[in-house]
Amino acid sequence: MAHDQNISTFYRAAQNRDFARNFSFRVEEIKDRGQPLLDANDLVYVTTASLPGRTISVTQQPYMGLDFQIPGAAKYEGSSGYEITFRADGSNILRSLFERWTFLTFDDATSTGTYRIYDTSIIKLVQLDQDLNPLPEKYKLHGVFPVSVGSLGYDMTGNGDPITLTVSLAYQFWTKE
């Protein structure tokens, strides 16, 4: 039996499910080795981030002229450079915080750092419904560490627009809570 797809079914589905909106998302928590890295006052500065991707690798196995597709291990798209963009705060607190974290990870002055992967270093992400209430499932990125702290672009001829700071973090895998 064919499904009737028309404007009425679209309208009913849209009323029941609504649509995901590009602002219906929050970075809820960032921890380094179990300690909160940012608090709620810092996280309101987040302007863009994304839900992480996941891909199952495929191996082809030929048999009698056909290529059979065999599922393999999972790969986490963007896990080597997960970007979060912040509004840069006027006191430079966010940039300094991420700079310190990069030096804790590797300090080129002493060639030392915390080379370990800490499962207690996490990012927690949440989607929001149309009333801005959190959806029940949250995404948790495990084994997070900083990769880069972006530059801040100033312009003496500018009109005073806020500037942004992009931070790139790596993670190992993600789970849903």
Side-chain angles (χ1 to χ4, degrees):
M1 180 173 166
H3 244 17
D4 288 332
Q5 293 183 6
N6 56 42
I7 192 69
S8 295
T9 55
F10 174 81
Y11 186 64
R12 275 193 305 276
Q15 284 181 308
N16 290 333
R17 298 182 188 172
D18 199 16
F19 296 95
R21 311 295 177 153
N22 60 357
F23 57 79
S24 298
F25 175 81
R26 298 291 183 270
V27 176
E28 185 175 86
E29 183 176 56
I30 299 178
K31 287 185 177 179
D32 176 29
R33 290 171 272 166
Q35 299 302 311
L37 193 66
L38 302 173
D39 65 22
N41 289 326
D42 300 318
L43 291 173
V44 298
Y45 279 81
V46 173
T47 61
T48 60
S50 60
L51 287 180
R54 184 172 190 262
T55 302
I56 301 296
S57 53
V58 176
T59 302
Q60 289 186 349
Q61 224 22 261
Y63 181 74
M64 296 184 66
L66 296 174
D67 285 332
F68 285 87
Q69 310 305 317
I70 310 297
K75 294 192 183 286
Y76 294 87
E77 301 166 10
S79 63
S80 63
Y82 180 78
E83 289 189 347
I84 300 176
T85 303
F86 295 84
R87 290 178 188 90
D89 61 283
S91 302
N92 208 32
I93 294 169
L94 291 171
R95 182 176 168 88
S96 294
L97 184 140
F98 283 107
E99 286 173 343
R100 275 194 304 278
W101 194 11
T102 65
F103 282 100
L104 286 171
T105 303
F106 180 78
D107 188 345
D108 46 359
T110 60
S111 294
T112 60
T114 55
Y115 303 120
R116 296 184 51 215
I117 297 171
Y118 296 94
D119 192 49
T120 54
S121 295
I122 59 106
I123 298 174
K124 197 177 286 184
L125 310 168
V126 63
Q127 292 172 282
L128 306 172
D129 67 14
Q130 63 187 7
D131 297 319
L132 302 180
N133 297 311
L135 295 179
E137 292 183 326
K138 297 179 181 183
Y139 289 78
K140 186 175 180 180
L141 284 57
H142 297 264
V144 176
F145 61 92
V147 175
S148 69
V149 178
S151 60
L152 295 178
Y154 290 95
D155 181 354
M156 293 300 293
T157 64
N159 61 3
D161 286 343
I163 57 176
T164 59
L165 168 67
T166 300
V167 176
S168 184
L169 304 159
Y171 66 93
Q172 310 310 313
F173 61 95
W174 58 262
T175 57
K176 288 177 89 170
E177 294 185 339

